[in-house]
């Protein structure tokens, strides 16, 4: 049975110890914290927020196993590889470990003007879908990143690959591209979930299916309430929540964007969910000025939503 990927999917972090080893105890606590929230309908591991590119194949499998032990919610495994052969091996291992679906990150061959060469993306998805029977989520970067393919290519992948059930539209606040993807997917003869990553209020207003976001590590109840407020037509509450969240979103997604996932860890640590903010090199710690911005914004978010969210 295919997982239903809607509402909020938490793109979970990967906690590390001082020596950069995987901190299994901290990961279990994180999953217990996020997984118990109604409206968090899936856990996405080994992706960008989880520093998946720095994990060994063994660590990727272990993360899936731990998450499966701590929650009954579907696990979506991020897949990132330099070759199709390696990607297929990762997908096969993820399925064996209990993943309900996978999310395919574009391989680095797309750095060579992916938007102009859709045949690479189509072949990549086709070969993986043929090799392993498992639902697939498209990780859609904007073409400006170099590894992103066009909206037309993303829609064509979903049209031609039956195992594609969702797409995460990455790239911050580019609402126009998000709506283009949404309209393209809605024109297909089957449903493909369209998930935002940030600027949640604006994306939800377009009628998308939810979000796949690292915000859910430290503010899962907030993300769920914002989505449900928009879905249920309570736009006054949604605008209020968006206003409360504005400072934190600005602190997390500010330039340079390379710190984004490290900032997630800072927020989770300041929220008392992680023991530390350790990231694996080549990622580096977040500058102290940014830490203060995140801390101040997180405190504002939590203080203004505590009464309504019961946290």
């Amino acid at each position: 049975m295919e997982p239903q990927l809607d509402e909020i999917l938490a793109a979970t972090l990967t906690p590390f110890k001082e020596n950069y080893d995987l901190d299994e105890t901290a990961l279990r606590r994180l999953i217990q914290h996020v997984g118990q929230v109604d409206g968090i309908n899936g856990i996405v591991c080994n992706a960008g927020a989880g520093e998946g590119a720095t994990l060994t194949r063994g660590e990727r499998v272990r993360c899936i196993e731990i998450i499966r032990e701590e929650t009954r919610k579907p696990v979506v495994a991020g897949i990132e590889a330099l070759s199709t052969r390696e990607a297929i091996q990762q997908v096969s291992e993820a399925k064996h470990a209990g993943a309900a679906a996978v999310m395919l990150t574009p391989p680095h061959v797309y750095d060579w003007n992916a938007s102009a060469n859709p045949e690479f993306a189509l072949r990549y998805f086709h070969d993986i879908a043929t090799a392993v029977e498992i639902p697939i989520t498209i990780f859609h970067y904007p073409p400006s990143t170099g590894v992103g393919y066009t909206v037309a290519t993303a829609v064509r992948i979903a049209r031609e690959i039956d195992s594609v059930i969702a797409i995460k539209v990455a790239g911050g606040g580019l609402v126009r591209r998000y709506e283009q993807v949404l309209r393209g997917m809605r024109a297909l003869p089957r449903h493909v979930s369209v998930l935002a990553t940030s600027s949640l209020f604006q994306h939800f207003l377009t009628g998308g299916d939810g979000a796949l976001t690292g915000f859910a590590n430290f503010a899962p109840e907030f993300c769920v309430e914002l989505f449900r407020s928009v879905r249920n037509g309570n736009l006054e509450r949604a605008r209020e929540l968006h206003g409360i969240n504005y400072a934190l979103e600005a602190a997390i997604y500010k330039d340079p964007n390379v710190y984004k996932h490290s900032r997630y860890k800072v927020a989770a640590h300041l929220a008392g969910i992680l023991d530390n903010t350790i990231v694996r090199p080549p990622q580096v710690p977040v500058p102290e000025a940014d830490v203060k911005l995140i801390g101040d914004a997180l405190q504002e978010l939590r203080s203004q939503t505590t009464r309504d969210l019961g946290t």
Side-chain angles (χ1 to χ4, degrees), residues 31 63-75 97-100:
I31 300 306
C63 286
I64 297 168
E65 292 172 342
I66 289 171
I67 295 168
R68 290 281 292 143
E69 290 168 5
E70 298 300 331
T71 181
R72 300 181 68 176
K73 295 182 178 180
V75 178

Side-chain angles (χ1 to χ4, degrees), residues 185-198:
M185 295 302 173
R186 290 293 189 261
L188 297 176
R190 59 188 175 82
H191 181 74
V192 175
S193 291
V194 180
L195 305 168
T197 182
S198 62

Side-chain angles (χ1 to χ4, degrees), residues 80-298:
E80 185 167 2
L82 293 176
S83 72
T84 300
R85 180 181 182 182
E86 168 75 13
I88 289 171
Q89 290 171 337
Q90 286 188 30
V91 171
S92 180
E93 291 167 350
K95 180 179 180 178
H96 182 74
V102 294
M103 181 170 68
L104 302 186
T105 300
H108 290 293
V109 67
Y110 291 146
D111 290 346
W112 295 87
N113 198 4
S115 62
N117 296 280
E119 66 274 15
F120 283 89
L122 290 162
R123 178 66 179 271
Y124 183 65
F125 277 84
H126 176 271
D127 288 351
I128 292 173
T130 301
V132 186
E133 185 177 347
I134 191 170
I136 294 172
T137 296
I138 301 171
F139 198 133
H140 187 221
Y141 288 104
S144 60
T145 62
V147 297
Y149 24 84
T150 65
V151 171
T153 297
V155 173
R156 184 179 171 187
I157 290 169
R159 181 186 300 114
E160 297 185 11
I161 310 298
D162 290 339
S163 51
V164 170
I165 64 168
I167 181 169
K168 172 189 163 105
V169 185
L174 301 176
V175 180
R176 179 66 174 170
R177 181 172 58 90
Y178 177 85
E179 186 169 358
Q180 289 171 338
V181 172
L182 179 65
R183 287 172 178 267
M185 295 302 173
R186 290 293 189 261
L188 297 176
R190 59 188 175 82
H191 181 74
V192 175
S193 291
V194 180
L195 305 168
T197 182
S198 62
S199 301
L200 300 177
F201 177 61
Q202 296 97 321
H203 289 118
F204 292 163
L205 284 174
T206 66
D209 298 285
L212 194 166
T213 178
F215 248 74
N217 287 281
F218 45 86
E221 297 93 346
F222 169 85
C223 293
V224 171
E225 191 192 0
L226 179 58
F227 175 74
R228 289 180 173 177
S229 295
V230 174
R231 182 190 62 187
N232 296 334
N234 188 355
L235 296 186
E236 182 178 356
R237 177 57 176 161
R239 281 192 293 267
E240 179 186 6
L241 290 167
H242 174 64
I244 293 170
N245 183 52
Y246 181 81
L248 182 57
E249 189 169 288
I252 295 290
Y253 294 112
K254 66 190 291 287
D255 288 333
N257 194 52
V258 69
Y259 281 103
K260 177 176 65 177
H261 300 134
S262 303
R263 292 173 186 141
Y264 284 156
K265 277 193 168 176
V266 169
H269 174 62
L270 294 176
I273 299 160
L274 293 185
D275 295 332
N276 60 51
T277 62
I278 295 172
V279 291
R280 275 184 174 171
Q283 193 63 273
V284 298
V286 173
E288 284 302 316
D290 285 5
V291 173
K292 185 178 187 309
L293 277 178
I294 294 168
D296 291 345
L298 183 64

Side-chain angles (χ1 to χ4, degrees), residues 12-74:
T12 51
L13 304 167
T14 304
F16 299 121
K17 299 177 181 178
E18 294 286 344
N19 64 356
Y20 301 118
D21 283 350
L22 176 65
D23 191 335
E24 295 190 4
T25 301
L27 178 58
R28 291 183 187 279
R29 287 201 310 270
L30 174 63
I31 300 306
Q32 290 165 5
H33 168 76
V34 174
Q36 53 83 32
V37 176
D38 178 44
I40 299 295
N41 287 346
I43 305 295
V44 182
C45 65
N46 305 339
E51 299 171 70
T54 74
L55 302 177
T56 66
R57 277 171 50 187
E59 288 172 331
R60 288 171 176 270
V61 169
R62 186 60 184 144
C63 286
I64 297 168
E65 292 172 342
I66 289 171
I67 295 168
R68 290 281 292 143
E69 290 168 5
E70 298 300 331
T71 181
R72 300 181 68 176
K73 295 182 178 180

